Amino acid sequence: MKVVLLPVGPPGSGKSTLCNGLQQFMTAIDRPSSVANIDPANDNVPYADVAAFDVRDLVDVDEVMEREELGPNGGVLWAMEELEANFDWLEERLAECEETIILDPPGQPELTMHHMALPQILHRIEKLGYQIVVIQLLDSVVTTRPSLYLSSLLLCVRGMLHLPYPV
């Protein structure tokens, strides 16, 4: 069964660290897997030496920000739209991967709450025969204050509604 594991959460919640750990764990138990970066602004990829592919080979977010006069969030959203528009590029790279793929997405909350690029990309990946599993992450600091915790839970619920996959 072809599976895509997709950790989502705010910036700094540990998505890249989890992707790296999952890849190491899968290797340790002899389960073939691939890990890939689809965050065009992530220049600190801890699994870079084993990454199956990197979206930065398709789109340079710094170049996009300068050319389109966008800030960091706008640049990432534009880059994700570019990935969606060039889905053939992504499909070719997925075809070269193992049956279990760990994708490291951007942390912009807009992508999991209301922007349509990520859900549409995932829908197209699902049409290729992959099961999608979303892993929701929170920064541990939010558990220390009830107001932060409650607002984070609401964001998680909104993400579950926007990305209708098992969490």
Side-chain angles (χ1 to χ4, degrees):
M1 172 185 354
K2 299 190 302 186
V3 177
V4 169
L5 303 175
L6 183 82
V8 298
S13 61
K15 294 177 299 299
S16 295
T17 302
L18 178 64
C19 288
N20 190 37
L22 283 172
Q23 187 277 327
Q24 290 177 12
F25 174 74
M26 298 294 256
T27 300
I29 64 170
D30 291 326
R31 179 158 182 191
S33 67
S34 298
V35 63
N37 178 40
I38 61 168
D39 181 352
N42 188 354
D43 55 2
N44 187 21
V45 180
Y47 48 82
D49 55 330
V50 295
F53 63 88
D54 192 325
V55 73
R56 295 174 300 172
D57 295 337
L58 174 68
V59 61
D60 182 334
V61 75
D62 293 324
E63 179 185 307
V64 166
M65 288 169 35
E66 184 177 325
R67 184 181 68 235
E68 302 295 329
E69 298 180 3
L70 297 169
N73 282 355
V76 169
L77 296 178
W78 192 96
M80 291 304 287
E81 291 171 358
E82 186 72 11
L83 179 59
E84 179 190 358
N86 290 285
F87 188 79
D88 293 343
W89 179 90
L90 180 60
E91 185 176 358
E92 289 172 11
R93 269 104 195 128
L94 292 172
E96 298 168 359
C97 291
E98 300 290 346
E99 285 197 353
T100 300
I101 304 171
I102 306 159
L103 292 181
D104 188 3
Q108 277 64 19
E110 297 90 346
L111 289 169
T112 57
M113 289 191 302
H114 60 78
H115 195 269
M116 291 307 296
L118 187 57
Q120 289 173 348
I121 290 168
L122 293 176
H123 181 69
R124 291 178 74 177
I125 290 173
E126 190 176 35
K127 283 187 169 188
L128 296 175
Y130 289 90
Q131 298 285 323
I132 309 287
V133 178
V134 176
I135 304 166
Q136 180 70 54
L137 300 178
L138 290 177
D139 191 330
S140 60
V141 172
V142 304
T143 63
T144 63
R145 294 189 28 214
S147 61
L148 288 176
Y149 182 65
L150 184 57
S151 63
S152 293
L153 290 179
L154 291 172
L155 289 175
C156 290
V157 169
R158 178 62 185 119
M160 289 171 61
L161 295 172
H162 190 62
L163 301 174
Y165 298 103
V167 177

